[in-house]
Amino acid sequence: MARLFGTDGVRGVAGEDLTTGMAMLIGRGAAIVLTRQTKRRPRILIGKDTRISGDMLEAALTAGLCSVGADVELLGVVPTPAVAYLVRKYKADAGIVISASHNPMEFNGIKIFNGDGYKLPDAVEDEIEHLVRNKAEVPLATGAEVGRVLHRDKAVEDYVDYLADCLAGTDLSGLKVALDCANGASAKTAPLLFGRLGAQCHFIGTEPDGTNINKDCGSTHLERLAEYVVKNKLDCGMAFDGDADRCLGVDEQGREIDGDKIIAILAKHLKAQDKLPADTAVVTVMSNLGFMEYMKKQLGLSIATTAVGDRYVLEEMRAKGYAIGGEQSGHVILLEHSTTGDGELTAGYLLSILAKSGGKMSDLSGVYEKFPQVILNIAANPAQKAKYKEDEYIAGFVESEQQSLMGAGRVLVRVSGTEPKIRVMVEGRDMEAITAAAGRIADMIKERI
């Protein structure tokens, strides 16, 4: 049986994979597991993005939580990192986010933070999953023990105030910036935050209707932002995903600034301020070889590498005391301020560095050339993912393709933890060679699963 929790919580098509019945059971299980040690009535926060299915799942989660005696505090539409912060500010026992992040609108998800604002380790998720699959073990509340529901009216303001405090002293006067909010959660917060920082801001993707989140906008579709920046002669553009835990950008010429480049810029800045412990940044195996070479050879910095998923990056950062880490996809964690990736915080820091430099964004972001990279996505349901993992022939074939690159590139094949896909990535200096290798691997996997 496939594991319920992936690399970023539970995720699937709302109403099909992620049903209201499942959401209710997750709420029950989470309340019991996360509040086992407390001797009081538990308090759980719930925030959501702008998907049409968010209200439905919020109601089901609330019912599940209240049915086992937990009080629920509804935050409304807020970014994922807002929940991670507010669970600490409001001294709640846990925080739940209803979001499928960068996925299309028909998807939704449930991710959970503990009372310290950190995503749950695998072992705790497994405990919750056990209760979800074994409903009989869950005692239900009755009478006065049933939980209550409270609406938190100042969640957005409290979160924006916190980000403004983190960015205290930032003056973006003179900068002309486009900000794409993906018709998602940052549509509520980004205009309030960046309006305080002094930049001349142009906002797009700020008209969510429940069905247009991430649709041709945001960090997964930078084309619109790039065109807007060039057409309006702006200094740069920043794009968030649906729940605003990611940030990508474009320079004044409309060229992409991915998570690797953002991490390189911020790490260099932190080192100059003597705020980079062990001169190390944490990234995943997906980071580009060009980035790796630049960080090590040009900046003299060390790289710690983890499996794909910002939760694994964070685990390494906490274990070793590192200050910055993230993913090529735009999750950037600044551990001094946040317990998870925060797109708006990242954008604020990056724009602050740009403003202080007095130069162009292309000067900051053009410091190294990315190695060519080909990524192919293969549709795969849970059974096909499991079959891929068990197939030794595929493993041998992938290894032979790695050897064929003769040290001039690398191959990475992995099962997505957030989408029904197997991802094939081949990277190297020879675009023709890596394209051919990626195609051969993808064809072989399709045949075998």
Side-chain angles (χ1 to χ4, degrees):
M1 184 179 293
R3 190 170 184 269
L4 186 62
F5 286 87
T7 56
D8 199 22
V10 180
R11 194 170 295 187
V13 175
E16 181 179 318
D17 306 312
L18 181 54
T19 64
T20 53
M22 180 183 291
M24 185 173 68
L25 293 173
I26 291 171
R28 288 178 180 174
I32 290 171
V33 171
L34 294 173
T35 61
R36 234 171 226 156
Q37 305 304 316
T38 64
K39 302 301 181 183
R40 63 181 185 278
R41 181 189 289 265
R43 294 170 48 239
I44 313 290
L45 309 183
I46 300 180
K48 60 188 175 184
D49 67 21
T50 58
R51 292 164 209 272
I52 195 170
S53 59
D55 292 346
M56 172 182 78
L57 294 172
E58 178 186 71
L61 269 170
T62 299
L65 291 162
C66 290
S67 73
V68 292
D71 288 340
V72 175
E73 299 184 13
L74 300 178
L75 306 179
V77 172
V78 291
T80 284
V83 177
Y85 164 67
L86 294 172
V87 74
R88 305 192 307 274
K89 177 177 175 61
Y90 297 159
K91 296 180 171 59
D93 295 290
I96 300 177
V97 182
I98 303 169
S99 174
S101 191
H102 62 287
N103 291 160
M105 60 78 55
E106 63 268 23
F107 288 81
N108 217 325
I110 296 171
K111 43 191 168 185
I112 306 172
F113 294 95
N114 66 20
D116 294 324
Y118 291 103
K119 290 179 181 177
L120 305 182
D122 290 346
V124 177
E125 289 181 341
D126 289 343
E127 287 187 70
I128 296 172
E129 182 167 340
H130 174 79
L131 292 177
V132 170
R133 299 192 187 280
N134 296 274
K135 299 184 282 292
E137 296 184 18
V138 180
L140 301 181
T142 59
E145 298 303 313
V146 172
R148 300 175 183 272
V149 181
L150 171 72
H151 293 264
R152 282 276 186 177
D153 297 326
K154 292 188 62 181
V156 166
E157 290 83 356
D158 286 343
Y159 172 61
V160 171
D161 285 346
Y162 176 69
L163 290 184
D165 286 344
C166 293
L167 296 165
T170 296
D171 182 5
L172 305 183
S173 300
L175 285 186
K176 295 180 291 183
V177 181
L179 294 139
D180 186 344
C181 297
N183 290 315
S186 62
K188 290 277 189 179
T189 53
L192 297 176
L193 173 65
F194 290 94
R196 296 189 189 186
L197 301 181
Q200 180 183 323
C201 297
H202 299 240
F203 290 96
I204 58 179
T206 56
E207 298 180 355
D209 63 9
T211 64
N212 62 358
I213 186 170
N214 297 320
K215 185 177 181 181
D216 301 323
C217 60
S219 63
T220 52
H221 298 281
L222 291 177
E223 303 84 5
R224 178 186 177 193
L225 179 64
E227 181 180 351
Y228 188 95
V229 166
V230 172
K231 180 180 178 180
N232 291 280
K233 297 181 171 57
L234 305 183
D235 295 305
C236 61
M238 297 286 116
F240 311 116
D241 64 341
D243 67 336
D245 65 351
R246 297 187 188 199
C247 170
L248 296 179
V250 296
D251 67 15
E252 75 280 0
Q253 300 175 45
R255 296 180 300 191
E256 179 183 358
I257 307 168
D258 66 10
D260 284 347
K261 291 204 169 184
I262 293 172
I263 291 167
I265 294 167
L266 268 58
K268 180 180 180 181
H269 178 72
L270 289 171
K271 178 177 169 61
Q273 294 184 313
D274 198 27
K275 291 184 177 181
L276 192 67
D279 287 346
T280 298
V282 184
V283 295
T284 77
V285 292
M286 290 295 289
S287 280
N288 192 270
L289 290 175
F291 162 82
M292 300 283 194
E293 286 192 359
Y294 172 72
M295 293 287 279
K296 294 174 182 177
K297 296 180 180 179
Q298 300 299 316
L299 298 184
L301 301 181
S302 298
I303 296 293
T305 306
T306 75
V308 174
D310 63 324
R311 62 185 298 170
Y312 303 117
V313 171
L314 181 59
E315 286 174 5
E316 180 72 7
M317 292 175 68
R318 294 182 69 192
K320 305 289 178 58
Y322 299 137
I324 186 171
E327 297 185 280
Q328 189 182 57
S329 59
H331 284 122
V332 177
I333 302 171
L334 295 162
L335 197 53
E336 178 184 357
H337 301 296
S338 183
T339 56
T340 189
D342 190 319
E344 292 168 271
L345 180 66
T346 300
Y349 266 98
L350 182 61
L351 292 174
S352 175
I353 293 169
L354 174 63
K356 290 175 181 176
S357 76
K360 296 180 178 180
M361 182 61 88
S362 58
D363 296 331
L364 285 180
S365 61
V367 290
Y368 70 85
E369 289 296 324
K370 293 174 61 175
F371 277 36
Q373 194 176 73
V374 175
I375 299 177
L376 301 179
N377 293 311
I378 303 164
N381 59 36
Q384 290 171 316
K385 288 181 177 181
K387 189 174 182 180
Y388 156 75
K389 290 180 178 179
E390 296 169 358
D391 195 317
E392 294 182 1
Y393 184 86
I394 294 177
F397 188 85
V398 169
E399 178 59 29
S400 70
E401 290 293 339
Q402 173 68 71
Q403 295 300 323
S404 72
L405 294 174
M406 301 176 64
R410 63 182 179 131
V411 176
L412 178 64
V413 183
R414 68 180 186 89
V415 170
S416 172
T418 59
E419 295 182 81
K421 295 175 181 177
I422 296 170
R423 305 193 194 279
V424 177
M425 188 274 282
V426 185
E427 183 177 84
R429 296 186 183 278
D430 187 332
M431 187 66 182
E432 184 177 347
I434 66 172
T435 300
R440 288 191 295 268
I441 294 169
D443 288 343
M444 175 56 65
I445 292 173
K446 290 174 186 176
E447 289 176 8
R448 302 284 297 186
I449 64 171

